[in-house]
Amino acid sequence: MGVTDVTTEPGAPWLIVGLGNPGPEYAMNRHNVGFMVADLLAGRIGGKFKRAGKAQAQVIEGRIGPPGPLNRRVILAKPMSYMNLSGGPVTGLRDFYKVPTANIVAVHDELDIDYGVLRLKLGGGDNGHNGLKSMTKAMGPEYHRVRFGIGRPPGRMQVADFVLKDFSSTERKELDYFVDRAADAVEALVIEGLERAQSTYNS
């Protein structure tokens, strides 16, 4: 395969969706790592999030990649609907910006991967993740995912409690590095294609 995967459409925009819950009380939760990656990418693009018309989301439009054929038009988005209703805003943005489903990237927390480990994939199940469940119900499973490992809850802690807690003080020591690496992985996926990005970032 060339630089791009056959699943994507050359020249079509990409929609990068960081999944999380809106509001300051959720900002540092494990469940909000998708928002953290989106915020970092926003800084790289050099824009500020703004409300997207009728869609219940904040967006930035910009470009990533070097000048020339590898430069990509991207829409960076954070749904403002709460995690379990993410599918509606994402579908609205997909339709408004005319983004093929295979050009959508969901960045999200993943329980079944150790903390800070990344896995990139196209399609698949939701593994109990409410944001992915809502997106898949709205538009099918054939979108890309950048899965950010947060590990399993300790002891008998419930999953819902674990994901809605802030990263621990120990985890926060490396959080900036891992978020930065996840943002790099998103850029690699969009610019170079899934296979090359997987070979670099799938640990």
Side-chain angles (χ1 to χ4, degrees):
M1 268 189 253
V3 172
T4 56
D5 297 307
V6 295
T7 50
T8 64
E9 291 187 21
W14 284 77
L15 175 59
I16 301 167
V17 182
L19 293 178
N21 288 307
E25 67 272 31
Y26 300 105
M28 291 303 296
N29 286 182
R30 294 182 178 92
H31 221 20
N32 267 44
V33 73
F35 273 19
M36 296 175 198
V37 176
D39 286 336
L40 182 58
L41 286 167
R44 294 182 182 183
I45 290 172
K48 291 185 178 180
F49 281 103
K50 61 182 180 182
R51 278 282 181 180
K54 294 180 180 179
Q56 201 173 0
Q58 292 183 348
V59 301
I60 295 173
E61 296 180 58
R63 305 192 75 88
I64 62 174
L70 298 184
N71 193 257
R72 305 280 186 250
R73 180 184 171 216
V74 298
I75 298 95
L76 188 59
K78 296 192 296 185
M80 294 286 113
S81 57
Y82 289 98
M83 183 70 84
N84 62 348
L85 298 173
S86 299
V90 175
T91 304
L93 293 171
R94 178 199 65 179
D95 295 346
F96 181 78
Y97 288 104
K98 297 179 172 58
V99 179
T101 301
N103 280 31
I104 296 174
V105 182
V107 187
H108 64 92
D109 58 302
E110 178 61 61
L111 286 159
D112 286 338
I113 303 175
D114 289 341
Y115 174 59
V117 174
L118 298 176
R119 291 282 190 275
L120 283 65
K121 63 182 286 192
L122 173 66
D126 57 57
N127 203 24
H129 192 285
N130 287 332
L132 297 183
K133 192 177 296 182
S134 179
M135 285 180 61
T136 297
K137 183 178 179 182
M139 61 187 185
E142 292 303 308
Y143 53 91
H144 287 85
R145 299 103 188 272
V146 173
R147 305 158 73 202
F148 186 110
I150 60 170
R152 302 293 303 186
R156 296 184 178 180
M157 184 184 292
Q158 294 294 312
V159 165
D161 294 331
F162 179 69
V163 299
L164 292 176
K165 284 189 181 298
D166 290 356
F167 285 101
S168 70
S169 57
T170 301
E171 290 169 332
R172 283 200 295 271
K173 292 176 182 176
E174 294 185 290
L175 182 60
D176 287 348
Y177 168 77
F178 288 140
V179 169
D180 190 73
R181 191 166 184 269
D184 290 345
V186 172
E187 291 185 342
L189 169 59
V190 171
I191 297 166
E192 301 173 8
L194 178 61
E195 287 188 4
R196 289 191 186 183
Q198 285 176 323
S199 69
T200 302
Y201 293 98
N202 278 22
S203 307

